[in-house]
Amino acid sequence: MWDEFKKFALKGNVLDLAVGVVIGGAFGKIVTSLVNDIIMPLFGLLFGGVDFSTLTYPAGAGDEGLKYGAFIQSVVDFFIIAFSIFLAIRFINRFKRKEEVIEEKKEEIKVDVKEELLTEIRDLLKNQAK
C-alpha cells in the first residue's frame, strides 16, 4: 500500500497540482493585499474619502449589519485574479500555438526533403534506363 501511495503522490500531475495550489494561495494573498491596501484606498479617495472596508448596511438589532464594503473588495479581488489567470492562459496558449506552427513547418520541410530525394531517385533511374 505504501508503494502505491508513493507512486500516486510522486506522479507529475499530483506534484504539478500541489505546486499550483501553493502558488495560487500566495498569489491570492498578494492580490488581496493589492486590493485592500492600494486599489480600494484609491477608489475611496475618488469617491470622497470613503473607506470601503467599513461600509455596512444596518440589519436588525445586531451591530454588525451587512458588510457590503467587504463584499465589494472581494469582487474586485475576484476580477483581478480572474483577469490575471486569463492573461496567463492567453500567454501560454499563444506560446503553444507558436510551437505548433513551428512543428507544422518542420513537418512540411521534411515532406519537401523527401519529395526532393524521391525526385532525384526517379531522375537517376530514368538516366540509368536510357
Side-chain angles (χ1 to χ4, degrees), residues 37-110:
D37 302 330
I38 296 174
I39 293 175
M40 294 312 286
L42 290 174
F43 279 150
L45 288 174
L46 290 174
F47 291 107
V50 176
D51 182 9
F52 280 88
S53 64
T54 61
L55 291 178
T56 58
Y57 182 80
D63 292 334
E64 290 289 319
L66 300 175
K67 297 180 180 181
Y68 68 93
F71 176 73
I72 292 172
Q73 286 182 326
S74 295
V75 169
V76 172
D77 276 352
F78 169 77
F79 281 118
I80 290 173
I81 290 172
F83 185 69
S84 300
I85 291 171
F86 167 75
L87 290 177
I89 290 173
R90 186 173 177 204
F91 175 75
I92 291 168
N93 285 341
R94 184 176 294 161
F95 185 68
K96 284 184 180 179
R97 276 188 237 129
K98 286 181 181 178
E99 285 181 354
E100 290 173 1
V101 168
I102 290 171
E103 290 296 322
E104 288 174 6
K105 287 183 179 179
K106 284 181 181 178
E107 288 176 11
E108 288 175 10
I109 291 171
K110 287 179 184 177

Side-chain angles (χ1 to χ4, degrees), residues 5 7-21:
F5 176 74
K7 285 180 186 176
F8 169 77
L10 297 178
K11 280 185 180 178
N13 294 340
V14 174
L15 292 175
D16 291 344
L17 179 61
V19 169
V21 168

Side-chain angles (χ1 to χ4, degrees), residues 19-33 81:
V19 169
V21 168
V22 171
I23 290 175
F27 182 72
K29 288 180 182 180
I30 291 170
V31 170
T32 299
S33 175
I81 290 172

